[in-house]
Amino acid sequence: MAVKKETIETLLEESRIFHPDEQFTRQANVKNRDIYAEARANPRIFWAMQAERLDWYRKWDQVLDWEPPFAKWFVNGKLNACYNCVDRHLNTWRKNKAAIIFEGEPGDSRILTYWDLWREVTQFANVLRMLGVRKGDRVAIYLPMIAEAAIAMLACARIGAPHSVVFGGFSAEALRDRINDAGAKLLITADGGWRRGKIVPLKRNADAALTECPSVDKVLVVKRTGQEVPMQDGRDYWYDNLVVGVTVGGPCEEMDSEDMLFILYTSGTTGKPKGVVHTTGGYLTGVSTTHHMVFDIKDRDVYWCTADVGWVTGHSYVVYGPLANGATTVIYEGAPDFPEFDRFWAIIERYGVNVFYTAPTAIRAFMKWGEEWPARRDLSSLRLLGTVGEPINPEAWIWYHKHIGSERCPIVDTWWQTETGMIMISALPGIISTKPGSASVPLPGVEIDVVDKEGNSVMLGKGGFLVIKEPWPAMLRTIYGDNERYVREYWGKIPGHTLYFSGDGARRDYHNYFWILGRVDDVINVAGHRLSTMEIESALVDHPWVAESAAIGKAHDLKGQAISVFVTLKGKYFKELKDGSKTRAEFTSELKAHVVKKIGAIARPDDIFLTAELPKTRSGKIMRRLLRDIAEGRALGDTTTLADPAVCRELKEKYESKE
Ligand code: ATP
Ligand code: MG
């Protein structure tokens, strides 16, 4: 059966709805729904008004110069991102407010006021200048989640040197490729970082990477874990030694609105990472606006986004958004299950965290560990919760709502990407009702649609491709050094070259709410029916035995593809499988029947494979493309961004031996 206008069939129904609490609305940063109509009537005026949040050395001549698909925002405006995140707060009472609350995995803790942060950042910037870093030079940052990571980013921004942060969990090869792609001149790293009580050997990895990085001539090493590390004469410098006697203070470079602020490589869920380029004025406008609206941030709040600064979420919502807004941002170094499964809840209790933002993969892990862990901590300071990174299965949403939010906190499910720089689809918690599993509606000033292959809007209720119809200030400007790939990858897949294609599938329901169906590359095609991975997985996670699941399409002679699912069971049930009190067949037939009940016979999995773990990227996303390689008996594709390549190899062996 041929399908002409490719769309995605969507079958799963979710009818629960949660309305904003009146009291919350009364105090909310955004209380009035007119904001959507106002922004739509004149998006340029809307964004220009938002840009007034920032301090500019010189205002722009033109809000937007749009030559599809190349955009310039706030043309000829001049500003500095570090000035906006640090210096400008010193003229206000926030001078003595906590800017960063840092907690290390071993339990050490450090609180930096805006004044402290300014002292540290300016010194760091002066050390970089001393090492010869100049405006326009690229600096690679490979650090653990410590305050110095934010300080180093801001110091780069201060002197106009674009940073390229590489997640501290990445290997030497991944670091090498990113350094070379960006042509970085200097690398900032540390001796090591703490993870589950062990040292992550960052300096050692960096040394291995640098044997093949001709552009790097200096390495700045921050002391964190204290073990001995080799230092190469004339190349490697301890930060602690260089900073002695270095001046505090000093100027910020005046940057053009369109000067590059950073390069960031995407997580690599689908293949070769892309160096996404973000610039200064539009990006900072986008992240400060969305941080203010979506997280309803107040000056008294303690705000914690658990993302690593190695991901875009860490850039936009740990560092730039919160600090531009003068907020207090929490940085935690280590694992959520160290020394116990309640580490996150202990941090919330200890610092009185009010707004908490994490990922579905973490929430599914919390569910697996059990609700007794959050229950023993005082989480009453929380008033708002958020998620990002993957579609959240409705059952995980409900668990989060109940066990973390005490059925009191609104949940904002935020859809966006490295490329979008800022949140694009999310509820505004004072005015938008939420539905578990739906990211709800595009933010004011953001135009999004669901279309078919030709770029025509699909009907409400039908699935299709998620596209962005109008430029937005924090949009990527290009892929570093590769305008052609930028055009091809994002603007060339749907005719017309004016729709930004996100790579995700989505459906809009009859209330105009968006449901992200997963990546288009992952869509399963069964006898001409294009089914969403998200819906099949959510049906499985709805079953009390299931902790997590991944659905893929496996080549099939008759149907085109057959549905294959990989499932991890919750602790108790996994034990039952291991000790034989329930057989594999009992598990799989029950789970197949459950999917049929939730979605229909068309979605019945052909096979279910029970496993202890699923292959994930280092940012915690399930890599379905590797599962397809396993199911179809191929050699594994690119595994460099996997969190733990052993998981995948083992899974392949077990799958092949049908264990
Ligand atoms: P790569 O582009 O290299 O394959 P990646 O897409 O995982 O990697 P990111 O930019 O970190 O890199 O992730 C963005 C993607 O994450 C989105 O395109 C979407 O698939 C998914 N995503 C993020 N937030 C949500 C959300 N709230 N709901 C559903 N999916 C989400
Ligand atoms: Mg992507």
Side-chain angles (χ1 to χ4, degrees), residues 411-434:
I411 296 180
V412 288
D413 173 356
T414 63
W415 178 87
W416 60 295
Q417 311 177 295
T418 309
E419 294 88 344
T420 69
M422 65 182 216
I423 297 171
M424 300 296 276
I425 306 180
S426 167
L428 290 179
I431 53 174
I432 298 294
S433 304
T434 54

PDB file of all heavy atoms in Angstrom, residues 411-434:
ATOM      1  N   ILE A 411       3.673  21.307  35.531  1.00  0.00           N
ATOM      2  CA  ILE A 411       4.807  20.728  34.807  1.00  0.00           C
ATOM      3  C   ILE A 411       4.881  21.367  33.427  1.00  0.00           C
ATOM      4  O   ILE A 411       3.896  21.356  32.682  1.00  0.00           O
ATOM      5  CB  ILE A 411       4.661  19.203  34.643  1.00  0.00           C
ATOM      6  CG1 ILE A 411       4.690  18.527  36.021  1.00  0.00           C
ATOM      7  CG2 ILE A 411       5.765  18.638  33.738  1.00  0.00           C
ATOM      8  CD1 ILE A 411       4.562  17.012  35.973  1.00  0.00           C
ATOM      9  N   VAL A 412       6.042  21.922  33.093  1.00  0.00           N
ATOM     10  CA  VAL A 412       6.243  22.410  31.732  1.00  0.00           C
ATOM     11  C   VAL A 412       7.100  21.410  30.971  1.00  0.00           C
ATOM     12  O   VAL A 412       8.211  21.103  31.350  1.00  0.00           O
ATOM     13  CB  VAL A 412       6.860  23.831  31.708  1.00  0.00           C
ATOM     14  CG1 VAL A 412       5.829  24.854  32.164  1.00  0.00           C
ATOM     15  CG2 VAL A 412       8.116  23.948  32.569  1.00  0.00           C
ATOM     16  N   ASP A 413       6.498  20.831  29.912  1.00  0.00           N
ATOM     17  CA  ASP A 413       7.207  19.891  29.043  1.00  0.00           C
ATOM     18  C   ASP A 413       7.692  20.746  27.875  1.00  0.00           C
ATOM     19  O   ASP A 413       6.889  21.270  27.115  1.00  0.00           O
ATOM     20  CB  ASP A 413       6.223  18.806  28.600  1.00  0.00           C
ATOM     21  CG  ASP A 413       6.805  17.864  27.558  1.00  0.00           C
ATOM     22  OD1 ASP A 413       7.939  18.073  27.101  1.00  0.00           O
ATOM     23  OD2 ASP A 413       6.081  16.913  27.186  1.00  0.00           O
ATOM     24  N   THR A 414       9.005  20.914  27.768  1.00  0.00           N
ATOM     25  CA  THR A 414       9.550  21.901  26.842  1.00  0.00           C
ATOM     26  C   THR A 414      10.185  21.218  25.643  1.00  0.00           C
ATOM     27  O   THR A 414      11.112  20.438  25.782  1.00  0.00           O
ATOM     28  CB  THR A 414      10.614  22.759  27.544  1.00  0.00           C
ATOM     29  OG1 THR A 414      11.710  21.922  27.950  1.00  0.00           O
ATOM     30  CG2 THR A 414      10.041  23.439  28.780  1.00  0.00           C
ATOM     31  N   TRP A 415       9.667  21.500  24.457  1.00  0.00           N
ATOM     32  CA  TRP A 415      10.286  20.959  23.236  1.00  0.00           C
ATOM     33  C   TRP A 415      11.196  21.997  22.611  1.00  0.00           C
ATOM     34  O   TRP A 415      10.793  23.132  22.380  1.00  0.00           O
ATOM     35  CB  TRP A 415       9.239  20.532  22.201  1.00  0.00           C
ATOM     36  CG  TRP A 415       9.913  20.038  20.952  1.00  0.00           C
ATOM     37  CD1 TRP A 415      10.345  18.763  20.720  1.00  0.00           C
ATOM     38  CD2 TRP A 415      10.306  20.820  19.810  1.00  0.00           C
ATOM     39  NE1 TRP A 415      10.978  18.703  19.501  1.00  0.00           N
ATOM     40  CE2 TRP A 415      10.978  19.947  18.919  1.00  0.00           C
ATOM     41  CE3 TRP A 415      10.169  22.166  19.468  1.00  0.00           C
ATOM     42  CZ2 TRP A 415      11.491  20.368  17.696  1.00  0.00           C
ATOM     43  CZ3 TRP A 415      10.689  22.601  18.249  1.00  0.00           C
ATOM     44  CH2 TRP A 415      11.340  21.698  17.372  1.00  0.00           C
ATOM     45  N   TRP A 416      12.400  21.605  22.335  1.00  0.00           N
ATOM     46  CA  TRP A 416      13.350  22.461  21.602  1.00  0.00           C
ATOM     47  C   TRP A 416      14.565  21.642  21.267  1.00  0.00           C
ATOM     48  O   TRP A 416      14.605  20.436  21.533  1.00  0.00           O
ATOM     49  CB  TRP A 416      13.695  23.716  22.413  1.00  0.00           C
ATOM     50  CG  TRP A 416      14.321  23.503  23.762  1.00  0.00           C
ATOM     51  CD1 TRP A 416      13.757  22.906  24.851  1.00  0.00           C
ATOM     52  CD2 TRP A 416      15.631  23.911  24.166  1.00  0.00           C
ATOM     53  NE1 TRP A 416      14.637  22.928  25.910  1.00  0.00           N
ATOM     54  CE2 TRP A 416      15.789  23.540  25.520  1.00  0.00           C
ATOM     55  CE3 TRP A 416      16.685  24.577  23.522  1.00  0.00           C
ATOM     56  CZ2 TRP A 416      16.971  23.788  26.220  1.00  0.00           C
ATOM     57  CZ3 TRP A 416      17.840  24.830  24.231  1.00  0.00           C
ATOM     58  CH2 TRP A 416      17.974  24.440  25.571  1.00  0.00           C
ATOM     59  N   GLN A 417      15.578  22.252  20.641  1.00  0.00           N
ATOM     60  CA  GLN A 417      16.749  21.522  20.144  1.00  0.00           C
ATOM     61  C   GLN A 417      17.999  22.380  20.289  1.00  0.00           C
ATOM     62  O   GLN A 417      17.894  23.599  20.455  1.00  0.00           O
ATOM     63  CB  GLN A 417      16.593  21.240  18.650  1.00  0.00           C
ATOM     64  CG  GLN A 417      15.278  20.655  18.238  1.00  0.00           C
ATOM     65  CD  GLN A 417      15.191  20.475  16.731  1.00  0.00           C
ATOM     66  OE1 GLN A 417      15.203  21.431  15.966  1.00  0.00           O
ATOM     67  NE2 GLN A 417      15.110  19.226  16.298  1.00  0.00           N
ATOM     68  N   THR A 418      19.155  21.748  20.132  1.00  0.00           N
ATOM     69  CA  THR A 418      20.410  22.505  20.086  1.00  0.00           C
ATOM     70  C   THR A 418      20.270  23.624  19.060  1.00  0.00           C
ATOM     71  O   THR A 418      20.697  24.757  19.282  1.00  0.00           O
ATOM     72  CB  THR A 418      21.563  21.572  19.659  1.00  0.00           C
ATOM     73  OG1 THR A 418      21.540  20.416  20.491  1.00  0.00           O
ATOM     74  CG2 THR A 418      22.909  22.268  19.797  1.00  0.00           C
ATOM     75  N   GLU A 419      19.654  23.283  17.936  1.00  0.00           N
ATOM     76  CA  GLU A 419      19.534  24.225  16.837  1.00  0.00           C
ATOM     77  C   GLU A 419      18.612  25.397  17.159  1.00  0.00           C
ATOM     78  O   GLU A 419      18.818  26.495  16.661  1.00  0.00           O
ATOM     79  CB  GLU A 419      18.986  23.509  15.598  1.00  0.00           C
ATOM     80  CG  GLU A 419      19.911  22.441  15.006  1.00  0.00           C
ATOM     81  CD  GLU A 419      19.723  21.051  15.643  1.00  0.00           C
ATOM     82  OE1 GLU A 419      19.116  20.956  16.735  1.00  0.00           O
ATOM     83  OE2 GLU A 419      20.180  20.064  15.037  1.00  0.00           O
ATOM     84  N   THR A 420      17.577  25.163  17.951  1.00  0.00           N
ATOM     85  CA  THR A 420      16.642  26.265  18.209  1.00  0.00           C
ATOM     86  C   THR A 420      17.179  27.188  19.298  1.00  0.00           C
ATOM     87  O   THR A 420      16.699  28.311  19.434  1.00  0.00           O
ATOM     88  CB  THR A 420      15.233  25.772  18.605  1.00  0.00           C
ATOM     89  OG1 THR A 420      15.292  25.163  19.894  1.00  0.00           O
ATOM     90  CG2 THR A 420      14.667  24.792  17.590  1.00  0.00           C
ATOM     91  N   GLY A 421      18.130  26.721  20.088  1.00  0.00           N
ATOM     92  CA  GLY A 421      18.778  27.552  21.103  1.00  0.00           C
ATOM     93  C   GLY A 421      17.923  27.836  22.311  1.00  0.00           C
ATOM     94  O   GLY A 421      18.429  27.987  23.421  1.00  0.00           O
ATOM     95  N   MET A 422      16.635  27.957  22.101  1.00  0.00           N
ATOM     96  CA  MET A 422      15.700  28.308  23.180  1.00  0.00           C
ATOM     97  C   MET A 422      14.474  27.398  23.107  1.00  0.00           C
ATOM     98  O   MET A 422      14.214  26.774  22.073  1.00  0.00           O
ATOM     99  CB  MET A 422      15.247  29.764  23.022  1.00  0.00           C
ATOM    100  CG  MET A 422      14.437  29.986  21.760  1.00  0.00           C
ATOM    101  SD  MET A 422      13.969  31.717  21.545  1.00  0.00           S
ATOM    102  CE  MET A 422      12.331  31.501  20.824  1.00  0.00           C
ATOM    103  N   ILE A 423      13.725  27.363  24.181  1.00  0.00           N
ATOM    104  CA  ILE A 423      12.482  26.585  24.216  1.00  0.00           C
ATOM    105  C   ILE A 423      11.518  27.132  23.167  1.00  0.00           C
ATOM    106  O   ILE A 423      11.373  28.342  23.027  1.00  0.00           O
ATOM    107  CB  ILE A 423      11.849  26.662  25.620  1.00  0.00           C
ATOM    108  CG1 ILE A 423      12.788  26.030  26.649  1.00  0.00           C
ATOM    109  CG2 ILE A 423      10.474  26.010  25.636  1.00  0.00           C
ATOM    110  CD1 ILE A 423      12.354  26.239  28.094  1.00  0.00           C
ATOM    111  N   MET A 424      10.888  26.236  22.429  1.00  0.00           N
ATOM    112  CA  MET A 424       9.979  26.640  21.351  1.00  0.00           C
ATOM    113  C   MET A 424       8.525  26.277  21.652  1.00  0.00           C
ATOM    114  O   MET A 424       7.617  27.026  21.351  1.00  0.00           O
ATOM    115  CB  MET A 424      10.397  25.968  20.039  1.00  0.00           C
ATOM    116  CG  MET A 424      11.800  26.308  19.578  1.00  0.00           C
ATOM    117  SD  MET A 424      12.025  28.049  19.187  1.00  0.00           S
ATOM    118  CE  MET A 424      11.421  28.069  17.502  1.00  0.00           C
ATOM    119  N   ILE A 425       8.320  25.068  22.195  1.00  0.00           N
ATOM    120  CA  ILE A 425       6.958  24.646  22.550  1.00  0.00           C
ATOM    121  C   ILE A 425       6.955  24.341  24.031  1.00  0.00           C
ATOM    122  O   ILE A 425       7.788  23.573  24.511  1.00  0.00           O
ATOM    123  CB  ILE A 425       6.524  23.375  21.790  1.00  0.00           C
ATOM    124  CG1 ILE A 425       6.691  23.545  20.276  1.00  0.00           C
ATOM    125  CG2 ILE A 425       5.082  23.005  22.125  1.00  0.00           C
ATOM    126  CD1 ILE A 425       6.280  22.313  19.471  1.00  0.00           C
ATOM    127  N   SER A 426       6.049  24.952  24.756  1.00  0.00           N
ATOM    128  CA  SER A 426       5.916  24.677  26.191  1.00  0.00           C
ATOM    129  C   SER A 426       4.686  25.391  26.701  1.00  0.00           C
ATOM    130  O   SER A 426       4.298  26.432  26.166  1.00  0.00           O
ATOM    131  CB  SER A 426       7.135  25.196  26.957  1.00  0.00           C
ATOM    132  OG  SER A 426       6.865  25.200  28.350  1.00  0.00           O
ATOM    133  N   ALA A 427       4.117  24.860  27.762  1.00  0.00           N
ATOM    134  CA  ALA A 427       3.052  25.588  28.437  1.00  0.00           C
ATOM    135  C   ALA A 427       3.658  26.809  29.118  1.00  0.00           C
ATOM    136  O   ALA A 427       4.811  26.783  29.541  1.00  0.00           O
ATOM    137  CB  ALA A 427       2.393  24.693  29.477  1.00  0.00           C
ATOM    138  N   LEU A 428       2.894  27.898  29.215  1.00  0.00           N
ATOM    139  CA  LEU A 428       3.248  28.976  30.140  1.00  0.00           C
ATOM    140  C   LEU A 428       2.432  28.659  31.391  1.00  0.00           C
ATOM    141  O   LEU A 428       1.194  28.615  31.343  1.00  0.00           O
ATOM    142  CB  LEU A 428       2.891  30.340  29.541  1.00  0.00           C
ATOM    143  CG  LEU A 428       3.772  30.745  28.353  1.00  0.00           C
ATOM    144  CD1 LEU A 428       3.347  32.094  27.781  1.00  0.00           C
ATOM    145  CD2 LEU A 428       5.245  30.777  28.751  1.00  0.00           C
ATOM    146  N   PRO A 429       3.113  28.394  32.507  1.00  0.00           N
ATOM    147  CA  PRO A 429       2.448  27.694  33.604  1.00  0.00           C
ATOM    148  C   PRO A 429       1.278  28.443  34.254  1.00  0.00           C
ATOM    149  O   PRO A 429       0.408  27.812  34.835  1.00  0.00           O
ATOM    150  CB  PRO A 429       3.577  27.470  34.618  1.00  0.00           C
ATOM    151  CG  PRO A 429       4.621  28.471  34.273  1.00  0.00           C
ATOM    152  CD  PRO A 429       4.523  28.688  32.795  1.00  0.00           C
ATOM    153  N   GLY A 430       1.204  29.759  34.095  1.00  0.00           N
ATOM    154  CA  GLY A 430       0.082  30.491  34.692  1.00  0.00           C
ATOM    155  C   GLY A 430      -1.167  30.491  33.834  1.00  0.00           C
ATOM    156  O   GLY A 430      -2.265  30.764  34.334  1.00  0.00           O
ATOM    157  N   ILE A 431      -1.029  30.208  32.545  1.00  0.00           N
ATOM    158  CA  ILE A 431      -2.189  30.385  31.662  1.00  0.00           C
ATOM    159  C   ILE A 431      -2.518  29.195  30.763  1.00  0.00           C
ATOM    160  O   ILE A 431      -3.570  29.189  30.138  1.00  0.00           O
ATOM    161  CB  ILE A 431      -2.019  31.645  30.767  1.00  0.00           C
ATOM    162  CG1 ILE A 431      -0.685  31.626  30.000  1.00  0.00           C
ATOM    163  CG2 ILE A 431      -2.136  32.921  31.589  1.00  0.00           C
ATOM    164  CD1 ILE A 431      -0.531  32.776  29.006  1.00  0.00           C
ATOM    165  N   ILE A 432      -1.634  28.231  30.684  1.00  0.00           N
ATOM    166  CA  ILE A 432      -1.894  27.121  29.755  1.00  0.00           C
ATOM    167  C   ILE A 432      -2.095  25.809  30.527  1.00  0.00           C
ATOM    168  O   ILE A 432      -1.248  25.415  31.331  1.00  0.00           O
ATOM    169  CB  ILE A 432      -0.729  26.973  28.749  1.00  0.00           C
ATOM    170  CG1 ILE A 432      -0.567  28.239  27.892  1.00  0.00           C
ATOM    171  CG2 ILE A 432      -0.919  25.748  27.854  1.00  0.00           C
ATOM    172  CD1 ILE A 432      -1.716  28.532  26.946  1.00  0.00           C
ATOM    173  N   SER A 433      -3.214  25.147  30.266  1.00  0.00           N
ATOM    174  CA  SER A 433      -3.467  23.849  30.882  1.00  0.00           C
ATOM    175  C   SER A 433      -2.504  22.835  30.285  1.00  0.00           C
ATOM    176  O   SER A 433      -2.076  22.987  29.143  1.00  0.00           O
ATOM    177  CB  SER A 433      -4.901  23.403  30.599  1.00  0.00           C
ATOM    178  OG  SER A 433      -5.796  24.390  31.052  1.00  0.00           O
ATOM    179  N   THR A 434      -2.185  21.808  31.049  1.00  0.00           N
ATOM    180  CA  THR A 434      -1.240  20.819  30.529  1.00  0.00           C
ATOM    181  C   THR A 434      -1.905  19.461  30.380  1.00  0.00           C
ATOM    182  O   THR A 434      -2.863  19.135  31.089  1.00  0.00           O
ATOM    183  CB  THR A 434      -0.018  20.690  31.459  1.00  0.00           C
ATOM    184  OG1 THR A 434      -0.478  20.411  32.780  1.00  0.00           O
ATOM    185  CG2 THR A 434       0.795  21.970  31.475  1.00  0.00           C
TER     186      THR A 434
END
